[in-house]
Amino acid sequence: MLVRDIMTRPVVAIGPDEPIGDVTALMAQRRLRHFPVVEDGRLVGIVSDRDLRTVGGDHPAARPGTGRTDPVRELMTRTVWTAHPLDPIDEAAAVLRRRSIGAMPVMEGDDMVGIVSAADLLDALVAMTGVGRASTRIEVELPNRPGALAGLLGRIATRGANVASVLTTRSEPETVSFVLRVGTIDGIGLAAALREDGYELAWPPELDAERA
């Protein structure tokens, strides 16, 4: 999945001379958390709700002398990290995490074609893992060797179930842990069959003899 698949467009951008109070009101009205700042068609900054909350109070990061009537250029972040529409979403997520930022304008040349936020990436994760659809979550530990995952997928296929997603949660020299989203509502039955085949499952939990 690429940034272009999840980014928000069209982009709501503001000018650098907009009063901070007006920007705060507009952000609340639009229910947004970030505004790119554009001047003469160029991206010159970005402002977040976190920036705006530092104005007019006793916030530790408040800038002395900056008030709600001042232009947003006094508050905006001028070094803007950006993404490209063809960036993989995992790389975009890594930049957001590494830079401790909440959103990036998406640039294609000099044109701003969208904005991608942490919320967009979380929505993509939910979609990719299949949460919300009729399915079962299986967490299994496999030997770290070629063919181990293929063997598991083949075993699941023999029960007429399709695997919607596969994520690696941990990789060690000897073992790898996977989380699978499987298209079946009989998760307990599938888990029991896999355990009978010798697979080590961390989820779903095994029913004890009394409950079984």
Side-chain angles (χ1 to χ4, degrees), residues 12-52:
V12 179
I14 58 172
D17 294 321
E18 294 288 338
I20 291 172
D22 291 355
V23 174
T24 302
L26 181 61
M27 191 170 285
Q29 179 186 15
R30 294 298 186 97
R31 297 184 178 180
L32 299 174
R33 299 184 64 183
H34 301 85
F35 284 149
V37 183
V38 175
E39 186 174 30
D40 297 328
R42 294 185 305 107
L43 178 66
V44 296
I46 190 168
V47 64
S48 71
D49 60 339
R50 182 171 55 185
D51 299 325
L52 297 173

Side-chain angles (χ1 to χ4, degrees), residues 17-198:
D17 294 321
E18 294 288 338
I20 291 172
D22 291 355
V23 174
T24 302
L26 181 61
M27 191 170 285
Q29 179 186 15
R30 294 298 186 97
R31 297 184 178 180
L32 299 174
R33 299 184 64 183
H34 301 85
F35 284 149
V37 183
V38 175
E39 186 174 30
D40 297 328
R42 294 185 305 107
L43 178 66
V44 296
I46 190 168
V47 64
S48 71
D49 60 339
R50 182 171 55 185
D51 299 325
L52 297 173
R53 287 196 299 269
T54 66
V55 177
D58 298 326
H59 196 282
R63 300 186 186 187
T66 301
R68 292 173 58 84
T69 59
D70 289 315
V72 76
R73 70 168 72 243
E74 300 293 331
L75 196 66
M76 69 184 188
T77 299
R78 296 175 183 271
T79 301
V80 185
W81 292 92
T82 63
H84 188 274
L86 298 181
D87 287 343
I89 63 170
D90 52 335
E91 293 182 6
V95 174
L96 293 185
R97 180 67 182 89
R98 188 166 58 249
R99 299 297 175 181
S100 298
I101 55 178
M104 291 188 294
V106 182
M107 305 296 294
E108 195 164 20
D110 293 330
D111 297 327
M112 184 165 51
V113 296
I115 187 168
V116 62
S117 69
D120 295 326
L121 292 164
L122 284 174
D123 288 343
L125 176 62
V126 171
M128 290 169 64
T129 55
V131 175
R133 297 195 293 268
S135 59
T136 292
R137 181 180 185 274
I138 298 289
E139 186 171 353
V140 60
E141 185 173 283
L142 298 177
N144 192 355
R145 63 168 184 259
L149 178 60
L152 172 64
L153 298 179
R155 181 67 185 93
I156 293 173
T158 62
R159 293 185 60 87
N162 188 44
V163 175
S165 68
V166 180
L167 297 177
T168 304
T169 59
R170 180 177 55 83
S171 181
E172 304 289 345
E174 299 299 324
T175 60
V176 183
S177 293
F178 294 98
V179 172
L180 291 74
R181 183 67 59 171
V182 184
T184 178
I185 58 174
D186 184 20
I188 298 301
L190 175 60
L194 293 176
R195 287 189 172 103
E196 288 178 4
D197 288 344

